[in-house]
Amino acid sequence: MDAEKPGLAERPIRRPARRAEASATPDAVPGLQPQRAADEDAARRRGPVAVATPHRFGRIAFAHPAEADFARLLEFYRIAWRYEPTSFPLRWDGERAVESFTPDFYLPEQDLYVELTTMKQSLITRKHRKLRRMKEVYPEITVVLLTRRDYYDLLARFGYAAVEITSLPEADIERILYSPVEIATRVAQLGAQISADYANRSLILVGLLKGVTFFLADLTREISRPLAIDFLSVAPWQDGQAERVQFIKDLDLAITGRHVLLIEDIVTTGLTLDFVVTRLQALRPASLEVCVLFDKHERRLVDLPVRYTGFAIPNEYVVGYGLDYKQLYRNLPFLCVLKPAVYARDHIAHLARFNESAS
Ligand code: IMP
Ligand code: MG
């Protein structure tokens, strides 16, 4: 499904023109001694050496964590890849190769080798020299070098390294469930579906504050119907109240006779939504449907008709893309689970320190 492969059209790796007759014996390399050139020519004719590595993802011992991240990124875009499949001899002593180069990845669909380096700029001169030599000896092979800067830019675009922006150390993240691109893709699908379902109708979107603001802002821009926006805010009652929750901000707009879509970031037990739906029904809208981005259906206590669901997620506490833990982490661009130690810290103190240093 193309819709499930977001960003393929703008994927950062250029597809090089496939060379029809890739020559196994390139023209003589200028500047080489005639005898050595002849030896090299013989060795070159035998071609690059296959390296025996298992190709199944998850079983590969990557030399560097950046390589594992890069592999996950390729997996996400369904780009076929192999890890270090080929060694290219670069220099020979007679027939014996004395220097060779093994690019980190090969992308068969792109016919492209990728070398990742997270070394400091000053240390990659040797790499550049090897790559220049690759071009001389194997002009038909395309290798791209991703420097540390390129690599982090790439990951940031897909949400993995963007944590630096939000002052959350990467080490605090247990697992990223959905990247910004995955969320945006799903939100666009929901918007398209809602636009189709409400053809020839206008609607009022009612968001439950505050976590929903991120989702609502993105969703409304994917809906091509005339719409109005309103917000509700609920909070748990203190002890001894009959109702489970109370409204702390009521609707501004009149919804009687209107098509209402109630938007929520995450539903767990369904108790909050059930209370709100009951209240909204009493105002006799023309129709009332529910749209939630994340659904922890395992924890559901109230049977609730949810018309639109973004993602079914496991029963774990999640933050990001509007969802908070003690009001923090809403601005993470992805949905993630934090390390248990993070939840044990005193976040109010952390926030106070934060404000002090900001002022
Ligand atoms: P429910 O009434 O049990 O469905 O609770 C839903 C509310 O709990 C949501 O509106 C969220 O504010 C909050 N919530 C539930 N699970 C999470 C989570 O994993 N992260 C952040 N907030 C959550
Ligand atoms: Mg909420």
Side-chain angles (χ1 to χ4, degrees):
M1 258 198 306
D2 273 5
E4 305 237 325
K5 293 201 249 172
L8 262 188
E10 46 146 35
R11 73 178 149 217
I13 295 153
R14 268 180 306 113
R15 180 189 290 269
R18 202 180 286 267
R19 276 156 237 253
E21 356 70 63
S23 157
T25 52
D27 297 339
V29 180
L32 285 178
Q33 303 296 326
Q35 182 49 48
R36 282 197 53 206
D39 287 342
E40 289 188 12
D41 211 42
R44 224 178 276 149
R45 226 172 276 127
R46 285 193 298 275
V49 183
V51 179
T53 39
H55 299 313
R56 265 159 306 185
F57 187 49
R59 299 198 189 165
I60 296 175
F62 289 103
H64 192 278
E67 296 171 352
D69 280 343
F70 187 66
R72 268 196 291 279
L73 192 74
L74 294 171
E75 286 288 303
F76 176 71
Y77 287 100
R78 320 274 204 280
I79 297 172
W81 58 274
R82 283 189 270 150
Y83 181 60
E84 296 188 339
T86 318
S87 268
F88 296 92
L90 293 181
R91 285 176 207 284
W92 294 264
D93 181 7
E95 290 245 324
R96 199 169 59 87
V98 290
E99 187 187 357
S100 63
F101 177 52
T102 308
D104 297 320
F105 288 87
Y106 177 61
L107 314 184
E109 290 163 4
Q110 285 76 15
D111 190 18
L112 178 71
Y113 286 87
V114 178
E115 175 68 5
L116 278 182
T117 173
T118 52
M119 290 186 280
K120 283 204 189 80
Q121 198 66 36
S122 57
L123 296 175
I124 64 179
T125 318
R126 214 177 94 89
K127 267 248 153 107
H128 278 301
R129 196 183 55 74
K130 273 199 170 190
L131 278 156
R132 270 200 305 278
R133 179 73 184 152
M134 264 301 286
K135 280 208 182 78
E136 286 169 8
V137 185
Y138 306 96
E140 74 282 10
I141 303 284
T142 313
V143 185
V144 295
L145 178 70
L146 294 182
T147 64
R148 172 149 72 177
R149 179 69 200 277
D150 296 334
Y151 173 71
Y152 283 125
D153 282 355
L154 185 65
L155 288 189
R157 279 184 62 186
F158 301 98
Y160 290 91
V163 285
E164 280 178 35
I165 302 164
T166 58
S167 308
L168 176 70
E170 203 176 338
D172 282 356
I173 297 175
E174 176 88 42
R175 198 154 52 85
I176 291 175
L177 277 81
Y178 293 107
S179 73
V181 179
E182 290 172 291
I183 294 172
T185 304
R186 188 68 191 119
V187 170
Q189 287 171 342
L190 289 174
Q193 200 187 331
I194 291 166
S195 304
D197 292 351
Y198 288 84
N200 308 317
R201 283 184 282 172
S202 63
L203 62 167
I204 297 183
L205 301 192
V206 175
L208 272 187
L209 292 172
K210 324 177 194 172
V212 79
T213 50
F214 296 70
F215 175 39
L216 190 75
D218 288 340
L219 180 67
T220 49
R221 285 174 288 181
E222 299 291 345
I223 297 176
S224 56
R225 302 302 314 150
L227 59 86
I229 296 173
D230 208 344
F231 291 103
L232 277 176
S233 188
V234 295
W237 274 111
Q238 302 309 313
D239 301 338
Q241 301 289 338
E243 298 272 37
R244 284 186 283 268
V245 287
Q246 61 171 321
F247 285 98
I248 53 174
K249 188 220 165 286
D250 212 335
L251 292 174
D252 297 332
L253 304 173
I255 63 161
T256 306
R258 304 293 305 271
H259 296 287
V260 175
L261 189 53
L262 180 60
I263 316 285
E264 172 65 312
D265 45 11
I266 186 165
V267 56
T268 302
T269 62
L271 292 170
T272 310
L273 269 181
D274 185 57
F275 172 77
V276 174
V277 164
T278 307
R279 270 291 301 268
L280 294 184
Q281 287 289 15
L283 297 169
R284 289 174 288 103
S287 68
L288 176 62
E289 302 290 353
V290 176
C291 171
V292 300
L293 184 56
F294 303 112
D295 185 356
K296 284 194 220 172
H297 52 289
E298 255 178 71
R299 290 270 307 277
R300 188 80 84 260
L301 294 178
V302 194
D303 191 21
L304 191 84
V306 177
R307 174 81 179 266
Y308 305 98
T309 305
F311 302 94
I313 63 165
N315 183 19
E316 282 175 283
Y317 198 84
V318 288
V319 298
Y321 195 67
L323 296 170
D324 71 306
Y325 172 68
K326 295 191 179 174
Q327 301 302 327
L328 288 178
Y329 311 119
R330 292 191 198 273
N331 58 334
L332 292 176
F334 42 70
L335 187 78
C336 69
V337 178
L338 298 179
K339 292 260 170 69
V342 179
Y343 300 118
R345 285 182 210 148
D346 184 355
H347 279 71
I348 300 305
H350 177 78
L351 196 57
R353 270 202 306 280
F354 220 72
N355 292 339
E356 265 166 38
S357 59
S359 58

